[in-house]
Amino acid sequence: MVDVDTQIRAVSRSTGIEQTEGEELRLQRIVQTYASPIDDVWDAVTSPERIARWFAPVEGDAVLGGRYQIVGNAGGDVLACSPPADGSAGYRLSWEMGGAVSWVEIVLTAEGDSTRLELAHAARPGDVPPGFWELYGPGATGVGWDLSLLGLALHLRSDASVTPADAEAWSLSEEGMRFSRRAADAWAEAHVAGGADPDAAAAAAEATYRFYTGQPAPASPEA
């Protein structure tokens, strides 16, 4: 059983636009602190054997300059990798999927016996299919990252192992659907805080929730 409300509250979310080397990137950030030391969290987010137990099987070389492939998901290059030292660690990846390239960065910070994990996902607005952002907003990828941080929390707490099939079945359970609802609404709040229109953000959250729970998309206003 997942304590949905506690997990949703344990995560902070934000959205925004940043300029990097003269290029505009849409940025989503998600943060959670885990009651595990940094060396353990680092191993959990870099070891292929452990990643497969809370996220998905991964193949390739998870080292600086290596190339990885998450089975049934994104692949790319390891662009930066800094193992734990002086209370911090992190890595940066290209995230190649569906012909588009975005970037994911994970930063770990030791906080006593706990570890703060910050994940940032940056993408060029022009690489998103036309109308996709307007329909789903940040929840399209954000809810997926929420589910990932939940999987990591369960793994770190109890050494749990969840297969992709188990995760998909849970996502369609009553508890899983409630989690998707709360996560989609939380991303709508982050969207509004980032300057989005509240009605548009709420509509995007509804579309995202329906997407993650296998329901038909809401009818367009013109329908």
Side-chain angles (χ1 to χ4, degrees), residues 8 53-54 113 129 165 169 213:
I8 293 295
R53 295 163 66 189
W54 62 268
D113 293 330
T213 55

Side-chain angles (χ1 to χ4, degrees), residues 56-171:
V58 60
E59 302 170 345
D61 299 315
V63 297
L64 181 62
R67 187 162 181 85
Y68 73 94
Q69 177 63 54
I70 300 169
V71 177
N73 204 303
D77 298 314
V78 181
L79 304 175
C81 184
S82 301
D86 298 324
S88 64
Y91 59 81
R92 185 170 182 265
L93 313 168
S94 64
W95 189 264
E96 304 169 19
M97 189 174 185
V101 180
S102 56
W103 297 269
V104 171
E105 182 176 23
I106 288 179
V107 175
L108 304 182
T109 305
E111 298 183 342
D113 293 330
S114 297
T115 303
R116 181 179 187 269
L117 182 150
E118 178 177 328
L119 185 151
H121 192 169
R124 290 181 291 245
D127 284 347
V128 178
F132 188 87
W133 178 264
E134 290 74 15
L135 178 60
Y136 294 109
T141 51
V143 172
W145 289 125
D146 256 290
L147 289 165
S148 299
L149 265 60
L150 167 62
L152 179 58
L154 295 173
H155 173 68
L156 291 170
R157 187 181 308 138
S158 62
D159 198 33
S161 181
V162 180
T163 68
D166 289 339
E168 182 177 2
W170 178 83
S171 70

